[in-house]
C-alpha cells in the first residue's frame, strides 16, 4: 500500500526566504528612510521640548490613579494647572479614560493625546489646528 505522507520537510526558514535569488544583485545604493509624518514632521523643536515636559508630569500623576474615571482624570489635570478650557474629548473607554489637551501658544500647534490607565498611562504629542476652536489634525497613538 502506497500512502502519501509528508516527507517530514519543515517549513522554509524565514531567513532563507530573504535571500537574493541566483543571478540577482543586492541594491548598491543605501535605502533612504521615509520622510517623517504626523507630529514628527509638523512640530518644531520648541514644541517637542515643551511636549516632553508636559508628558512627564502628567504621566507621573496618572500612573498613580487606580480607577481612571473622567472625573478623576479631570481633577488630576486641573491640579496640574490645566484649565477645563484646555481639556478636550475626555471620555471613558472601558477601564481607561482618553483625553486631549490644548497646549497651543503663540501660534504653535502642540496638543497632547492622553490615555489614563493606571500604571500603563501614556501621553503623546499631537498637532492641532493653529487657529480657531481646538481640533486635532494629526495624531499617532502607539
Amino acid at each position: 500500500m502506497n500512502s502519501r505522507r509528508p516527507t517530514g520537510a519543515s517549513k522554509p526558514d524565514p531567513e532563507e526566504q530573504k535571500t537574493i535569488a541566483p543571478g540577482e544583485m543586492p541594491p548598491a545604493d543605501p535605502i533612504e528612510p521615509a520622510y517623517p509624518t504626523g507630529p514628527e514632521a509638523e512640530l518644531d523643536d520648541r514644541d517637542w521640548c515643551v511636549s516632553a515636559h508636559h508628558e512627564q508630569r502628567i504621566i507621573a500623576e496618572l500612573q498613580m490613579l487606580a480607577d481612571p474615571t473622567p472625573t478623576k482624570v479631570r481633577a488630576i489635570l486641573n491640579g496640574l494647572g490645566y484649565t477645563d478650557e484646555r481639556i478636550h474629548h475626555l471620555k471613558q473607554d472601558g477601564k481607561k479614560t482618553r483625553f486631549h489637551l490644548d497646549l497651543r501658544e503663540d501660534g504653535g500647534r502642540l496638543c497632547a493625546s492622553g490615555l489614563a490607565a493606571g500604571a500603563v498611562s501614556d501621553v503623546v504629542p499631537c498637532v492641532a489646528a493653529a487657529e480657531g476652536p481646538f481640533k486635532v489634525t494629526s495624531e499617532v497613538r502607539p
Side-chain angles (χ1 to χ4, degrees):
M1 187 166 175
N2 188 1
S3 66
R4 303 201 76 174
R5 290 185 149 174
T7 59
S10 62
K11 292 183 180 180
D13 183 4
E15 288 300 316
E16 290 178 324
Q17 292 177 346
K18 294 179 185 176
T19 61
I20 297 172
E24 288 187 22
M25 296 293 294
D29 297 327
I31 299 172
E32 295 293 324
Y35 289 105
T37 59
E40 247 181 80
E42 298 181 55
L43 297 175
D44 62 23
D45 290 341
R46 181 189 174 283
D47 284 339
W48 280 105
C49 183
V50 169
S51 173
H53 170 73
H54 287 285
E55 291 168 30
Q56 290 172 354
R57 61 195 294 261
I58 296 168
I59 290 170
E61 292 295 319
L62 293 179
Q63 286 178 333
M64 295 187 287
L65 187 58
D67 182 26
T69 64
T71 302
K72 292 178 182 178
V73 171
R74 182 179 298 279
I76 284 177
L77 295 173
N78 289 157
L80 289 170
Y82 301 102
T83 61
D84 286 343
E85 294 79 27
R86 296 234 178 220
I87 302 169
H88 298 274
H89 313 133
L90 187 65
K91 66 179 179 180
Q92 188 87 34
D93 183 6
K95 293 185 178 185
K96 304 171 259 184
T97 295
R98 296 184 181 278
F99 62 92
H100 286 94
L101 285 175
D102 181 356
L103 302 173
R104 298 177 294 174
E105 291 181 357
D106 302 325
R109 301 177 60 202
L110 178 64
C111 62
S113 173
L115 175 67
V120 295
S121 295
D122 192 28
V123 178
V124 296
C126 59
V127 181
E131 297 176 353
F134 178 77
K135 179 182 176 192
V136 176
T137 61
S138 181
E139 175 178 17
V140 177
R141 182 129 277 297

